[in-house]
Amino acid sequence: MEKLKTEIQAENAFLLLVKTENCSVCEAVEEQINQGVLKEADVPVKKIRLKDVPEVSGEFLVFTSPTLLLFLDGKEQWRGSRFVSYDEIIRIMSLWRS
């Protein structure tokens, strides 16, 4: 958990994908990210399985999966769960860079 917090603070923009096992929606979201759906946002993405780091649930109030958390300058600026609007992430990133 501490390593994750350090990574978030070290980046200007950081996207965290929290997923669970045997979750078809999680796999679909991860695959879309891997295929570059957020290429325009140009933001590092960290993928975490809730089973591996259960403290993430309490620390970031993640109650469902998948959950995407966008951090800008170390602070959470956006979150999306289940079905995610990638256009919204890109829009927020463009506003932040302006």
Side-chain angles (χ1 to χ4, degrees):
M1 191 66 220
E2 290 306 314
K3 182 181 174 190
L4 175 60
K5 286 181 181 179
T6 302
E7 288 180 60
I8 290 170
Q9 292 299 321
E11 298 287 342
N12 291 331
F14 190 90
L15 189 64
L16 177 64
L17 168 61
V18 181
K19 61 183 197 161
T20 56
E21 290 187 47
N22 302 320
C23 168
S24 60
V25 178
C26 299
E27 297 304 320
V29 168
E30 182 176 19
E31 184 61 27
Q32 289 172 331
I33 289 170
N34 290 341
Q35 291 181 3
V37 74
L38 293 173
K39 193 176 352 181
E40 290 179 47
D42 189 31
V43 58
V45 179
K46 174 85 172 189
K47 302 161 193 157
I48 292 182
R49 286 190 325 203
L50 203 50
K51 174 182 146 184
D52 296 338
V53 190
E55 310 89 77
V56 166
S57 180
E59 182 69 31
F60 298 118
L61 302 175
V62 174
F63 300 113
T64 189
S65 65
T67 295
L68 276 172
L69 301 168
L70 175 64
F71 295 89
L72 300 175
D73 296 324
K75 295 185 175 132
E76 182 184 329
Q77 297 297 317
W78 179 88
R79 80 171 40 218
S81 296
R82 302 288 295 157
F83 301 99
V84 178
S85 170
Y86 301 105
D87 291 338
E88 191 173 340
I89 295 171
I90 292 168
R91 182 184 65 78
I92 290 169
M93 290 295 299
S94 66
L95 290 173
W96 174 71
R97 287 188 174 130
S98 299

